[in-house]
Amino acid sequence: MLEKERKQAQFPQLEMSHLLYGDKEGFDKFIERQTFFDNHPLFKVDFNFFNKSRQDQILLNAQKTIEAVKNLDLANQKYYTPNILCPQGNFISTVHFAMVIPAFQVLASDDQIERWMPSLKNFYAFGCYAQSELGHGSDVQSILTVATFDKTTSEFIIHTPNVEATKFWPGELGLYCEFALVFAQLIVDGKNHGVHPFWIRIRDKDTHRPMQGVQIGDIGPKMGFAVKDNGYMSFDHFRAPLDSLLNRYIKVSSDGKVERQGNPKVGYASMLYMRNILCDQYTKFAGKALTVAVRYSLYRRQFKDDNKQEILILDYQCQQQKLFPLLAEFYACVFGSIKIKELTNENFNKITQQNDFSMLNLTHSILSAAKSNYTYFVANCAEWCRLSCGGHGFAHYSGLPTIFFEMSPNIVLEGENTILNLQLARYLLKQLQNTVSKPDSVPSYFQFLSTDTVKIQDVTTIQSLATLLGCNCSILTRYAASKFMAHSDLQDSWDTKSGIALAKAASAFIPYFNMICFIDTIQYKAKDTKEILTVLAQVYGITMLLNNFQGLLLKNQISSEQIKLLQDTREQLYPIIRRNALSLVEAQGLSDNTLQSLIAPKDGDVYENMYRYASQDNSLNKQKVHEGVTYIKKMKEVNAKL
Ligand SMILES: Cc1cc2nc3c(=O)[nH]c(=O)nc-3n(C[C@H](O)[C@H](O)[C@H](O)COP(=O)(O)OP(=O)(O)OC[C@H]3O[C@@H](n4cnc5c(N)ncnc54)[C@H](O)[C@@H]3O)c2cc1C
């Protein structure tokens, strides 16, 4: 059945695979690592995983991590995507590699890097990133943990002054790590020098018990993240040595002299790294959900046509409306994320190698907006894919609930999305001002702000769509700026009068940015690839506009006829996507084991799959008569007495 679908694709799938992974090397590395997971018995998908207790899931995950550490170089970034996307569960090392090591690279001195990096990379020093507290997550500057310098011993006294100051949420803290990068207010001679990171041993090397003066534990079950030991930690006048302070940008001498150097915004640089991973690797989970939903929609039939043939659900226009805009958005986000990766790497190298912060603001702003947009998209996409699979989407054997659960926290962690959007809003206002006062300084990605009018013949071309999306964001930014400036107390105006307008303006930026990246990617491609990508870009651009054209409406830059034309055009493009849909999702090269789904195999019979699991493999059915039945008997006895 699916072979027929594969044959009707109108583009070379391998070229698309290379595009989706950046290049041939990226795709080959993905397949190489995926093959390892596919062939290793411990990494074979097991749906009984979801019948296990959290305790057993954690133990199984630990076993998998050890096996991975034995066989694979987990620190190698080229394999991050398959390491995250392929196995069931997630390795114990994710926070350590994605947050702790990058923070070290940015915040530690050369001496500290030389001393710690080898053991960080080989797990001898395994740490978590302990920034958030019970009372403060987003507002890092207000955290309450203190590190008070004691001149008499040249040590820092790390202390949790109250319950609110308890470190809360750090992944890998609850059970596993021996070290923590603890963020605390640095106090020297009674003066507060702001929040800084301290690298501290928190568990004993031999016994793994918390060090004296430290209390640690797991915070309990969550929605998703079952195998992740998000933890809590408090300190009771814990003494940490002088060089525990990561001191590339701030130094405290043994007699208590404080010396600062470099840009105080350096702390952002390491967070950018994790946000980049969220944009790059985690966006691929939307592709995984789409593969399941599209394949299943090509197996599943409901209702008969005039010829008494049952209709494939993907042939229904309403099903296409659920999945095709998401498919187009997936491609847009992948191409956007490739550009973002380039920006992040350039910025990271400039900071770490040349002490050059010239790209930090631009990178931080784009990345904040992208992290916010992409993580919303992935969770939303997983949920719609689940809904598009009807009842079976609700079962773990579809693979879809897990994607939704595991991706949802990304909306909140590493910078809560609304707050990140507002950070872009600040940058948009600044650049809007610059378009008048310093037009040459406006980065190319923000030059759309210089105008709030458009003159376009055909609104449906990809170039026109990019112009319209830019103009929409420009008008919304001007509107937000006027709301913001209308009050004399600017802080109050920002917080309580213009937040909605500011967030709305910011959320209109990434659709424009993605569209530009999409057009860039299409430009140099061969004819067939270019044609299908152009269709996807159109569907993406139209969808983004139809979702939010409020700015264009405010200044009469779009008419009701044009809106109708956009709607009609999108519908006319769906049959082209329908024909190519399977190959567009299969270009990701995801194996059945990676998909972790019984309802979307590469080949085979989905109903046989589901029936086999329920009737033969489901561990709950292994007992001939389940022990729960004893209680049913008791219920009968109780009822009999009534
Ligand atoms: C699964 C998971 C893993 C995590 N891992 C780690 C980790 O490894 N290390 C670590 O240190 N932390 C970790 N965290 C904590 C995480 O970083 C914080 O939860 C996150 O930064 C959000 O902060 P918050 O909880 O304080 O949310 P809040 O800031 O309290 O947000 C609550 C609501 O208030 C709104 N809000 C707050 N301020 C503003 C404002 N200025 N303007 C408009 N709206 C506002 C938000 O938009 C949101 O709707 C993790 C969290 C989760 C869920």
Side-chain angles (χ1 to χ4, degrees):
M1 210 154 66
L2 294 189
E3 267 325 298
K4 194 178 123 237
E5 291 286 339
R6 288 183 184 113
K7 283 198 182 113
Q8 65 182 13
Q10 293 164 300
F11 64 92
Q13 194 174 302
L14 193 60
E15 186 179 356
M16 201 64 94
S17 303
H18 295 166
L19 270 181
L20 286 172
Y21 290 87
D23 52 24
K24 178 177 182 314
E25 192 201 355
F27 181 62
D28 290 348
K29 290 248 174 300
F30 177 82
I31 296 295
E32 175 202 325
R33 180 61 51 95
Q34 177 174 254
T35 307
F36 168 84
F37 291 124
D38 286 353
N39 294 332
H40 194 299
L42 196 58
F43 293 101
K44 286 259 183 285
V45 171
D46 176 8
F47 296 100
N48 285 320
F49 180 76
F50 302 104
N51 279 336
K52 290 184 196 297
S53 67
R54 180 166 176 235
Q55 165 79 355
D56 288 346
Q57 288 182 347
I58 287 176
L59 288 175
L60 182 59
N61 197 54
Q63 243 180 303
K64 288 184 188 175
T65 306
I66 301 311
E67 196 59 20
V69 169
K70 268 198 279 178
N71 291 283
L72 312 166
D73 173 12
L74 290 183
N76 188 340
Q77 293 170 20
K78 292 193 169 156
Y79 294 100
Y80 272 12
T81 303
N83 289 348
I84 292 169
L85 200 67
C86 300
Q88 205 173 17
N90 54 44
F91 294 137
I92 296 170
S93 56
T94 43
V95 178
H96 176 77
F97 285 128
M99 294 179 76
V100 176
I101 291 183
F104 243 85
Q105 279 164 337
V106 175
L107 302 168
S109 65
D110 290 344
D111 285 351
Q112 288 175 318
I113 291 179
E114 196 179 322
R115 179 168 163 216
W116 287 105
M117 202 48 79
S119 39
L120 279 165
K121 287 198 169 161
N122 69 17
F123 269 115
Y124 268 72
F126 174 39
C128 68
Y129 188 90
Q131 185 172 282
S132 305
E133 297 176 353
L134 259 176
H136 295 94
S138 304
D139 184 4
V140 178
Q141 296 315 314
S142 297
I143 61 172
L144 298 172
T145 305
V146 283
T148 310
F149 186 67
D150 179 356
K151 256 189 197 166
T152 56
T153 59
S154 297
E155 289 170 320
F156 297 104
I157 304 170
I158 314 282
H159 186 60
T160 305
N162 52 37
V163 173
E164 204 182 325
T166 310
K167 292 292 173 194
F168 220 80
W169 277 110
E172 292 155 17
L173 166 64
L175 304 176
Y176 290 120
C177 63
E178 286 183 19
F179 289 83
L181 195 59
V182 177
F183 288 77
Q185 305 281 355
L186 169 64
I187 314 277
V188 182
D189 282 336
K191 185 174 172 206
N192 188 333
H193 292 268
V195 175
H196 294 280
F198 297 80
W199 181 240
I200 295 171
R201 172 175 276 287
I202 54 168
R203 283 190 172 100
D204 184 83
K205 190 163 171 279
D206 301 316
T207 64
H208 200 70
R209 303 289 292 272
M211 301 296 281
Q212 188 152 16
V214 186
Q215 267 197 14
I216 319 179
D218 176 90
I219 66 167
K222 301 146 299 213
M223 169 180 142
F225 270 44
V227 296
K228 187 61 67 191
D229 54 329
N230 296 90
Y232 69 85
M233 171 166 63
S234 63
F235 297 96
D236 181 6
H237 299 95
F238 177 81
R239 288 186 167 265
L242 184 63
D243 73 349
S244 60
L245 170 67
L246 296 196
N247 60 19
R248 178 174 286 275
Y249 296 96
I250 184 156
K251 281 193 171 60
V252 179
S253 66
S254 54
D255 57 351
K257 284 202 187 63
V258 180
E259 199 187 321
R260 278 173 182 277
Q261 56 194 38
N263 191 322
K265 285 187 176 163
V266 68
Y268 289 128
S270 57
M271 291 186 93
L272 296 192
Y273 193 81
M274 181 60 194
R275 285 180 195 160
N276 175 49
I277 291 181
L278 288 171
C279 291
D280 181 12
Q281 275 94 12
Y282 284 82
T283 298
K284 302 281 195 309
F285 280 88
K288 187 163 158 173
L290 281 160
T291 309
V292 172
V294 167
R295 273 212 192 129
Y296 176 73
S297 301
L298 290 167
Y299 282 116
R300 181 76 164 180
R301 292 174 184 274
Q302 290 289 306
F303 301 101
K304 296 194 176 71
D305 62 15
D306 290 345
N307 300 321
K308 305 273 183 280
Q309 296 295 311
E310 281 195 297
I311 302 171
L312 272 178
I313 59 172
L314 198 60
D315 287 330
Y316 289 110
Q317 198 185 33
C318 286
Q319 183 77 348
Q320 296 177 4
Q321 174 65 14
K322 277 181 201 153
L323 295 177
F324 293 170
L326 293 171
L327 182 57
E329 191 166 357
F330 167 66
Y331 269 76
C333 290
V334 169
F335 297 147
S337 72
I338 290 170
K339 185 72 221 171
I340 286 167
K341 185 151 90 178
E342 278 168 33
L343 272 176
T344 313
N345 287 343
E346 205 183 329
N347 171 58
F348 198 75
N349 291 340
K350 279 193 170 186
I351 291 177
T352 51
Q353 288 161 21
Q354 299 157 29
N355 214 16
D356 174 355
F357 289 80
S358 58
M359 281 182 65
L360 182 60
N361 275 347
L362 173 77
T363 315
H364 173 245
S365 305
I366 295 184
L367 202 43
S368 299
K371 184 272 175 187
S372 169
N373 182 292
Y374 293 7
T375 53
Y376 268 137
F377 161 65
V378 175
N380 183 47
C381 178
E383 176 63 349
W384 273 104
C385 286
R386 180 181 82 73
L387 293 170
S388 77
C389 293
H392 294 309
F394 192 63
H396 268 306
Y397 60 65
S398 74
L400 294 168
T402 306
I403 303 180
F404 178 71
F405 282 155
E406 300 293 311
M407 295 301 110
S408 293
N410 294 344
I411 292 171
V412 170
L413 56 79
E414 266 314 297
E416 195 274 336
N417 280 1
T418 306
I419 294 173
L420 289 188
N421 250 350
L422 289 170
Q423 290 183 6
L424 175 77
R426 205 173 280 285
Y427 189 77
L428 281 172
L429 295 198
K430 179 84 195 134
Q431 295 309 327
L432 180 64
Q433 208 176 26
N434 286 346
T435 56
V436 182
S437 57
K438 289 191 265 170
D440 293 345
S441 73
V442 179
S444 61
Y445 289 120
F446 291 86
Q447 278 168 10
F448 68 88
L449 287 167
S450 62
T451 179
D452 61 352
T453 53
V454 269
K455 275 208 171 53
I456 280 171
Q457 295 292 328
D458 176 2
V459 287
T460 65
T461 69
I462 50 176
Q463 281 77 15
S464 307
L465 288 163
T467 308
L468 285 164
L469 287 166
C471 187
N472 189 47
C473 184
S474 175
I475 298 170
L476 288 171
T477 304
R478 284 153 204 266
Y479 174 70
S482 66
K483 277 207 128 183
F484 170 56
M485 298 302 286
H487 304 274
S488 52
D489 180 343
L490 291 182
Q491 184 62 51
D492 183 56
S493 175
W494 185 274
D495 289 335
T496 68
K497 309 279 189 311
S498 48
I500 299 170
L502 289 161
K504 177 100 181 163
S507 67
F509 172 72
I510 287 295
Y512 165 77
F513 174 83
N514 277 356
M515 199 65 196
I516 297 291
C517 298
F518 215 141
I519 293 173
D520 253 20
T521 312
I522 291 173
Q523 227 174 43
Y524 307 105
K525 295 297 150 246
K527 183 172 167 289
D528 293 339
T529 307
K530 197 171 183 163
E531 273 173 16
I532 186 67
L533 286 178
T534 303
V535 169
L536 284 174
Q538 276 176 292
V539 169
Y540 174 69
I542 293 173
T543 304
M544 292 301 108
L545 269 181
L546 292 178
N547 286 351
N548 173 13
F549 51 80
Q550 206 172 315
L552 297 170
L553 269 190
L554 280 175
K555 285 222 67 180
N556 291 324
Q557 296 301 305
I558 197 160
S559 65
S560 52
E561 286 76 34
Q562 286 173 321
I563 291 171
K564 188 173 163 303
L565 177 65
L566 287 173
Q567 270 167 347
D568 292 344
T569 305
R570 187 169 63 169
E571 284 164 26
Q572 283 154 20
L573 294 171
Y574 283 172
I576 306 175
I577 300 191
R578 164 68 187 86
R579 183 167 169 179
N580 293 281
L582 185 62
S583 290
L584 283 169
V585 292
E586 290 193 341
Q588 297 166 85
L590 307 180
S591 66
D592 285 354
N593 198 55
T594 293
L595 285 183
Q596 298 164 28
S597 174
L598 292 178
I599 69 169
K602 194 157 190 254
D603 299 295
D605 185 327
V606 291
Y607 300 116
E608 281 289 337
N609 273 355
M610 289 186 264
Y611 184 70
R612 192 181 330 109
Y613 171 68
S615 63
Q616 292 173 27
D617 301 337
N618 182 356
S619 55
L620 217 62
N621 294 331
K622 294 292 175 203
Q623 280 177 285
K624 287 231 165 10
V625 178
H626 193 269
E627 62 199 49
V629 173
T630 345
Y631 296 95
I632 300 292
K633 284 188 179 148
K634 281 197 178 130
M635 211 161 74
K636 281 184 187 163
E637 285 165 22
V638 172
N639 277 347
K641 283 186 195 146
L642 290 178

PDB file of all heavy atoms in Angstrom, residues 414-430:
ATOM      1  N   GLU A 414      14.408  26.526  30.307  1.00  0.00           N
ATOM      2  CA  GLU A 414      15.389  27.305  29.537  1.00  0.00           C
ATOM      3  C   GLU A 414      14.831  28.637  29.054  1.00  0.00           C
ATOM      4  O   GLU A 414      15.031  29.042  27.909  1.00  0.00           O
ATOM      5  CB  GLU A 414      15.872  26.490  28.330  1.00  0.00           C
ATOM      6  CG  GLU A 414      17.111  25.716  28.577  1.00  0.00           C
ATOM      7  CD  GLU A 414      18.181  26.519  29.267  1.00  0.00           C
ATOM      8  OE1 GLU A 414      18.650  27.499  28.676  1.00  0.00           O
ATOM      9  OE2 GLU A 414      18.536  26.197  30.408  1.00  0.00           O
ATOM     10  N   GLY A 415      14.085  29.279  29.882  1.00  0.00           N
ATOM     11  CA  GLY A 415      13.477  30.551  29.488  1.00  0.00           C
ATOM     12  C   GLY A 415      12.034  30.305  29.119  1.00  0.00           C
ATOM     13  O   GLY A 415      11.747  29.665  28.091  1.00  0.00           O
ATOM     14  N   GLU A 416      11.121  30.785  29.962  1.00  0.00           N
ATOM     15  CA  GLU A 416       9.685  30.581  29.724  1.00  0.00           C
ATOM     16  C   GLU A 416       9.298  31.374  28.463  1.00  0.00           C
ATOM     17  O   GLU A 416       9.784  32.486  28.228  1.00  0.00           O
ATOM     18  CB  GLU A 416       8.937  31.057  30.987  1.00  0.00           C
ATOM     19  CG  GLU A 416       7.510  30.619  31.074  1.00  0.00           C
ATOM     20  CD  GLU A 416       6.562  31.549  30.354  1.00  0.00           C
ATOM     21  OE1 GLU A 416       6.911  32.734  30.177  1.00  0.00           O
ATOM     22  OE2 GLU A 416       5.487  31.096  29.936  1.00  0.00           O
ATOM     23  N   ASN A 417       8.432  30.770  27.633  1.00  0.00           N
ATOM     24  CA  ASN A 417       8.235  31.318  26.284  1.00  0.00           C
ATOM     25  C   ASN A 417       7.711  32.749  26.233  1.00  0.00           C
ATOM     26  O   ASN A 417       8.154  33.544  25.399  1.00  0.00           O
ATOM     27  CB  ASN A 417       7.322  30.389  25.478  1.00  0.00           C
ATOM     28  CG  ASN A 417       8.080  29.196  24.917  1.00  0.00           C
ATOM     29  OD1 ASN A 417       9.287  29.071  25.158  1.00  0.00           O
ATOM     30  ND2 ASN A 417       7.413  28.350  24.175  1.00  0.00           N
ATOM     31  N   THR A 418       6.755  33.093  27.088  1.00  0.00           N
ATOM     32  CA  THR A 418       6.236  34.475  27.047  1.00  0.00           C
ATOM     33  C   THR A 418       7.370  35.446  27.363  1.00  0.00           C
ATOM     34  O   THR A 418       7.528  36.489  26.704  1.00  0.00           O
ATOM     35  CB  THR A 418       5.114  34.659  28.093  1.00  0.00           C
ATOM     36  OG1 THR A 418       4.133  33.660  27.867  1.00  0.00           O
ATOM     37  CG2 THR A 418       4.485  36.034  27.995  1.00  0.00           C
ATOM     38  N   ILE A 419       8.156  35.087  28.362  1.00  0.00           N
ATOM     39  CA  ILE A 419       9.230  35.991  28.781  1.00  0.00           C
ATOM     40  C   ILE A 419      10.277  36.122  27.664  1.00  0.00           C
ATOM     41  O   ILE A 419      10.778  37.216  27.387  1.00  0.00           O
ATOM     42  CB  ILE A 419       9.840  35.496  30.111  1.00  0.00           C
ATOM     43  CG1 ILE A 419       8.754  35.623  31.194  1.00  0.00           C
ATOM     44  CG2 ILE A 419      11.078  36.289  30.490  1.00  0.00           C
ATOM     45  CD1 ILE A 419       9.102  35.040  32.520  1.00  0.00           C
ATOM     46  N   LEU A 420      10.547  35.029  26.996  1.00  0.00           N
ATOM     47  CA  LEU A 420      11.501  35.096  25.871  1.00  0.00           C
ATOM     48  C   LEU A 420      10.949  35.960  24.739  1.00  0.00           C
ATOM     49  O   LEU A 420      11.673  36.741  24.120  1.00  0.00           O
ATOM     50  CB  LEU A 420      11.807  33.690  25.349  1.00  0.00           C
ATOM     51  CG  LEU A 420      12.661  32.816  26.265  1.00  0.00           C
ATOM     52  CD1 LEU A 420      13.053  31.540  25.541  1.00  0.00           C
ATOM     53  CD2 LEU A 420      13.908  33.531  26.734  1.00  0.00           C
ATOM     54  N   ASN A 421       9.662  35.818  24.481  1.00  0.00           N
ATOM     55  CA  ASN A 421       9.041  36.650  23.443  1.00  0.00           C
ATOM     56  C   ASN A 421       9.193  38.123  23.779  1.00  0.00           C
ATOM     57  O   ASN A 421       9.469  38.954  22.912  1.00  0.00           O
ATOM     58  CB  ASN A 421       7.549  36.308  23.336  1.00  0.00           C
ATOM     59  CG  ASN A 421       7.257  35.597  22.042  1.00  0.00           C
ATOM     60  OD1 ASN A 421       8.096  35.526  21.153  1.00  0.00           O
ATOM     61  ND2 ASN A 421       6.066  35.076  21.921  1.00  0.00           N
ATOM     62  N   LEU A 422       8.992  38.418  25.065  1.00  0.00           N
ATOM     63  CA  LEU A 422       9.094  39.826  25.479  1.00  0.00           C
ATOM     64  C   LEU A 422      10.529  40.333  25.336  1.00  0.00           C
ATOM     65  O   LEU A 422      10.765  41.523  25.112  1.00  0.00           O
ATOM     66  CB  LEU A 422       8.597  39.994  26.918  1.00  0.00           C
ATOM     67  CG  LEU A 422       7.076  39.840  27.065  1.00  0.00           C
ATOM     68  CD1 LEU A 422       6.664  39.780  28.534  1.00  0.00           C
ATOM     69  CD2 LEU A 422       6.339  41.001  26.370  1.00  0.00           C
ATOM     70  N   GLN A 423      11.490  39.421  25.436  1.00  0.00           N
ATOM     71  CA  GLN A 423      12.879  39.860  25.227  1.00  0.00           C
ATOM     72  C   GLN A 423      13.101  40.248  23.769  1.00  0.00           C
ATOM     73  O   GLN A 423      13.801  41.208  23.462  1.00  0.00           O
ATOM     74  CB  GLN A 423      13.851  38.780  25.678  1.00  0.00           C
ATOM     75  CG  GLN A 423      13.815  38.665  27.201  1.00  0.00           C
ATOM     76  CD  GLN A 423      14.786  37.664  27.767  1.00  0.00           C
ATOM     77  OE1 GLN A 423      15.598  37.092  27.058  1.00  0.00           O
ATOM     78  NE2 GLN A 423      14.695  37.439  29.059  1.00  0.00           N
ATOM     79  N   LEU A 424      12.490  39.488  22.868  1.00  0.00           N
ATOM     80  CA  LEU A 424      12.588  39.896  21.457  1.00  0.00           C
ATOM     81  C   LEU A 424      11.862  41.229  21.260  1.00  0.00           C
ATOM     82  O   LEU A 424      12.322  42.092  20.507  1.00  0.00           O
ATOM     83  CB  LEU A 424      12.009  38.849  20.509  1.00  0.00           C
ATOM     84  CG  LEU A 424      12.033  39.377  19.062  1.00  0.00           C
ATOM     85  CD1 LEU A 424      13.432  39.294  18.471  1.00  0.00           C
ATOM     86  CD2 LEU A 424      11.043  38.698  18.167  1.00  0.00           C
ATOM     87  N   ALA A 425      10.733  41.404  21.943  1.00  0.00           N
ATOM     88  CA  ALA A 425       9.965  42.652  21.790  1.00  0.00           C
ATOM     89  C   ALA A 425      10.851  43.854  22.120  1.00  0.00           C
ATOM     90  O   ALA A 425      10.838  44.866  21.410  1.00  0.00           O
ATOM     91  CB  ALA A 425       8.738  42.627  22.692  1.00  0.00           C
ATOM     92  N   ARG A 426      11.654  43.735  23.158  1.00  0.00           N
ATOM     93  CA  ARG A 426      12.543  44.841  23.540  1.00  0.00           C
ATOM     94  C   ARG A 426      13.511  45.142  22.389  1.00  0.00           C
ATOM     95  O   ARG A 426      13.759  46.288  22.039  1.00  0.00           O
ATOM     96  CB  ARG A 426      13.323  44.430  24.796  1.00  0.00           C
ATOM     97  CG  ARG A 426      13.798  45.585  25.634  1.00  0.00           C
ATOM     98  CD  ARG A 426      14.399  45.090  26.943  1.00  0.00           C
ATOM     99  NE  ARG A 426      13.426  44.748  27.962  1.00  0.00           N
ATOM    100  CZ  ARG A 426      12.740  45.628  28.689  1.00  0.00           C
ATOM    101  NH1 ARG A 426      12.924  46.909  28.505  1.00  0.00           N
ATOM    102  NH2 ARG A 426      11.876  45.235  29.598  1.00  0.00           N
ATOM    103  N   TYR A 427      14.046  44.078  21.808  1.00  0.00           N
ATOM    104  CA  TYR A 427      14.992  44.251  20.697  1.00  0.00           C
ATOM    105  C   TYR A 427      14.293  44.865  19.485  1.00  0.00           C
ATOM    106  O   TYR A 427      14.841  45.731  18.804  1.00  0.00           O
ATOM    107  CB  TYR A 427      15.589  42.888  20.349  1.00  0.00           C
ATOM    108  CG  TYR A 427      16.740  42.949  19.370  1.00  0.00           C
ATOM    109  CD1 TYR A 427      18.009  43.340  19.782  1.00  0.00           C
ATOM    110  CD2 TYR A 427      16.563  42.606  18.032  1.00  0.00           C
ATOM    111  CE1 TYR A 427      19.071  43.385  18.896  1.00  0.00           C
ATOM    112  CE2 TYR A 427      17.620  42.652  17.135  1.00  0.00           C
ATOM    113  CZ  TYR A 427      18.867  43.034  17.577  1.00  0.00           C
ATOM    114  OH  TYR A 427      19.926  43.086  16.686  1.00  0.00           O
ATOM    115  N   LEU A 428      13.037  44.438  19.239  1.00  0.00           N
ATOM    116  CA  LEU A 428      12.283  44.998  18.099  1.00  0.00           C
ATOM    117  C   LEU A 428      12.101  46.512  18.276  1.00  0.00           C
ATOM    118  O   LEU A 428      12.277  47.285  17.338  1.00  0.00           O
ATOM    119  CB  LEU A 428      10.901  44.327  17.988  1.00  0.00           C
ATOM    120  CG  LEU A 428      10.844  42.940  17.355  1.00  0.00           C
ATOM    121  CD1 LEU A 428       9.442  42.352  17.507  1.00  0.00           C
ATOM    122  CD2 LEU A 428      11.235  42.968  15.877  1.00  0.00           C
ATOM    123  N   LEU A 429      11.758  46.932  19.499  1.00  0.00           N
ATOM    124  CA  LEU A 429      11.563  48.371  19.739  1.00  0.00           C
ATOM    125  C   LEU A 429      12.860  49.127  19.505  1.00  0.00           C
ATOM    126  O   LEU A 429      12.869  50.209  18.900  1.00  0.00           O
ATOM    127  CB  LEU A 429      11.078  48.627  21.177  1.00  0.00           C
ATOM    128  CG  LEU A 429       9.704  48.100  21.579  1.00  0.00           C
ATOM    129  CD1 LEU A 429       9.205  48.794  22.838  1.00  0.00           C
ATOM    130  CD2 LEU A 429       8.658  48.264  20.479  1.00  0.00           C
ATOM    131  N   LYS A 430      13.955  48.540  19.949  1.00  0.00           N
ATOM    132  CA  LYS A 430      15.268  49.183  19.776  1.00  0.00           C
ATOM    133  C   LYS A 430      15.571  49.339  18.283  1.00  0.00           C
ATOM    134  O   LYS A 430      15.991  50.400  17.811  1.00  0.00           O
ATOM    135  CB  LYS A 430      16.320  48.305  20.476  1.00  0.00           C
ATOM    136  CG  LYS A 430      17.734  48.782  20.388  1.00  0.00           C
ATOM    137  CD  LYS A 430      18.000  49.806  21.484  1.00  0.00           C
ATOM    138  CE  LYS A 430      19.275  50.568  21.204  1.00  0.00           C
ATOM    139  NZ  LYS A 430      19.194  51.980  21.373  1.00  0.00           N
TER     140      LYS A 430
END
